[in-house]
Amino acid sequence: MLLEVEGLCVNYGHIEAIRDITFGVEEGSVATLIGANGAGKSTTLKTISGLRKIRAGTVRFDGKDLASIPSHERVKLGISQSPEGRGIFPGMTVRENLEMGAYTRRNRAEINQDLERAFTLFPRLRERERQVGGTLSGGEQQMLAVGRALMSRPKLLLLDEPSMGLAPMLIQQIFDIVVEINQQGTTVLLVEQNAQQALSRAHRAYVLETGRIVKSGTGAELLHDPSVKDAYLGVA
């Protein structure tokens, strides 16, 4: 198991955002957390990245307990996140944004290889290479955020709401690229409100409600689960 989360509890002040959740992500797989706004999905990813403090429980990555490891060191271990809201640097060019994703690395030849990989996955970014990030469309900014996260050569890619605010055609494209990234060997943990798209591509899936995991199974199992269909897929 590449990522093991056990008994995780996270607070915002006195409010319990995550309540005793346990789940894992197999190496080479796509796993997804689905749930409504405020369920704790983004908080879970931020905790794995080291941006939120663990109140109780453990997070292990590749067998290593992450409790005492700061977020920037977790990037070096192989964890990278594309955040909700994209979080690109608006005054920097597309290329500069991508190179920021490789800030922990020193091998220029390998960095150039990964730049080429990002441009191959997202041809639009190659066309916009010298354009500043703040002038890109929403879909292009999302491509840039994912591409930047890949520039650290992660073992585990954390994707937080990659389809948010995108047109339907772009949503399909983004999810197809997520599958391609996984097929190239990167493990993916995906947080997504678009349950249909996420479950259709996930090997393993978990449903979060008010900070607790209330259901789990394969993506296909949850896609056809009556309660999941009713609550998240708009099918009674």
Side-chain angles (χ1 to χ4, degrees), residues 5-59:
V5 175
E6 186 173 347
L8 181 65
C9 300
V10 179
N11 279 27
Y12 282 100
H14 296 297
I15 299 170
E16 282 187 307
I18 300 294
R19 307 176 185 186
D20 192 26
I21 66 171
T22 296
F23 70 95
V25 181
E26 293 277 0
E27 188 165 7
S29 71
V30 176
T32 188
L33 300 173
I34 65 169
N37 272 333
K41 307 184 303 298
S42 294
T43 300
T44 301
L45 290 196
K46 288 175 181 176
T47 305
I48 295 166
S49 290
L51 302 175
R52 289 288 177 266
K53 187 176 289 188
I54 296 171
R55 182 175 64 78
T58 58
V59 178

Side-chain angles (χ1 to χ4, degrees), residues 23-24 29 34 62 67 71 91 113 115 208 228:
F23 70 95
S29 71
I34 65 169
D62 217 5
S71 56
Q113 286 174 11
L115 275 169
L208 266 175
V228 172

Side-chain angles (χ1 to χ4, degrees), residues 151-235:
M151 286 298 296
S152 65
R153 282 201 180 179
K155 296 178 185 176
L156 176 65
L157 176 63
L158 307 177
L159 296 177
D160 196 349
E161 302 285 7
S163 77
M164 181 179 287
L166 301 187
M169 188 168 66
L170 277 175
I171 290 172
Q172 182 70 41
Q173 184 181 353
I174 288 288
F175 278 101
D176 287 347
I177 290 169
V178 169
V179 171
E180 186 174 350
I181 289 167
N182 176 244
Q183 290 172 344
Q184 292 176 357
T186 304
T187 304
V188 177
L189 176 56
L190 168 69
V191 153
E192 184 54 59
Q193 284 194 59
N194 191 323
Q196 177 80 42
Q197 292 282 358
L199 294 175
S200 296
R201 289 161 173 80
H203 301 102
R204 192 77 187 166
Y206 304 89
V207 178
L208 266 175
E209 290 182 4
T210 58
R212 299 182 188 275
I213 291 177
V214 296
K215 194 175 288 285
S216 65
T218 67
E221 286 169 349
L222 294 195
L223 194 60
H224 296 98
D225 182 282
S227 63
V228 172
K229 289 167 74 173
D230 185 32
Y232 301 107
L233 302 178
V235 180

